[in-house]
Amino acid sequence: ASETIDLEFAPSGPGGAKSAELRLRTTEVSDPRNPDFTLAVPLAGAAEDLGECEILLSASEIDFGRSVARTENRGYLAITNVDADPCIINGIRLGPGTDPELWLVDPPSEARLGRDESLLLEIGYLTDRPREAEDLTAEGTLEVYVSTTPSAYTFPLRGTQSSDALIRAPNILD
């Protein structure tokens, strides 16, 4: 059997190198002479002293509206640092319970934004639920963490499959 362990690095005190040790203890070993097995995993990271940055968000939610089945749509969220202090953007992920029709398109694991720099996050939506399904709405949340207060931001995501939605297409010129 396997288990997933999520670790959070939240250093306190002055910046610089930080280290710790994760100790895993089990009694599920194949050697009866050593029933208490402990595995030590070294952990290391670097902490940086950052001031309080200020961010500007392009939206408070991402609503794809009504969409014809099997039509891929994209939504965007821009995060801009409007302060002189740098901002670290990380922990970019979909929240628990987000429907599989919604996904992040190539999200960075972390971004460092200087003054007036932006990060553009792209969210995809593609639905193909059976027409007779009771619920044709895909919902979820986008979670983003920022090195400022407040540090956690959550954005609702929503899209509805429809058989009679208006399809947007770019103008084609010859």
Side-chain angles (χ1 to χ4, degrees):
S2 67
E3 292 290 328
T4 299
I5 299 173
D6 292 323
L7 299 174
E8 182 176 315
F9 180 63
S12 60
K18 305 289 182 183
S19 63
E21 184 176 79
L22 173 64
R23 296 174 139 294
L24 303 170
R25 183 172 172 248
T26 181
T27 57
E28 300 290 325
V29 294
S30 59
D31 185 355
R33 295 170 293 166
N34 188 11
D36 292 326
F37 179 76
T38 301
L39 174 66
V41 179
L43 305 173
E48 182 178 357
D49 292 323
L50 296 174
E52 284 287 316
C53 64
E54 183 180 347
I55 61 169
L56 178 65
L57 304 168
S58 64
S60 60
E61 65 179 9
I62 299 170
D63 191 337
F64 292 94
R66 295 172 57 165
S67 177
V68 175
R70 295 176 300 285
T71 301
E72 186 173 313
N73 295 281
R74 299 293 171 103
Y76 300 90
L77 173 70
I79 302 171
T80 303
N81 180 9
V82 294
D83 200 307
D85 289 324
C87 272
I88 304 295
I89 314 294
N90 60 20
I92 302 164
R93 63 179 172 246
L94 296 177
T98 296
D99 289 325
E101 293 92 346
L102 299 159
W103 73 93
L104 279 165
V105 180
D106 299 324
S109 59
E110 182 176 288
R112 181 186 184 95
L113 303 179
R115 183 178 186 87
D116 296 326
E117 290 182 330
S118 296
L119 172 66
L120 186 64
L121 298 177
E122 186 175 5
I123 300 92
Y125 168 60
L126 174 66
T127 186
D128 191 16
R129 295 185 183 181
R131 214 178 258 201
E132 62 277 0
E134 287 186 27
D135 184 10
L136 296 175
T137 300
E139 295 181 297
T141 55
L142 170 64
E143 298 176 352
V144 177
Y145 294 88
V146 181
S147 60
T148 190
T149 304
S151 62
Y153 292 84
T154 302
F155 302 91
L157 306 173
R158 181 181 171 91
T160 303
Q161 177 177 313
S162 175
S163 59
D164 58 356
L166 175 65
I167 298 175
R168 295 177 292 168
N171 293 333
I172 300 172
L173 298 174
D174 287 49

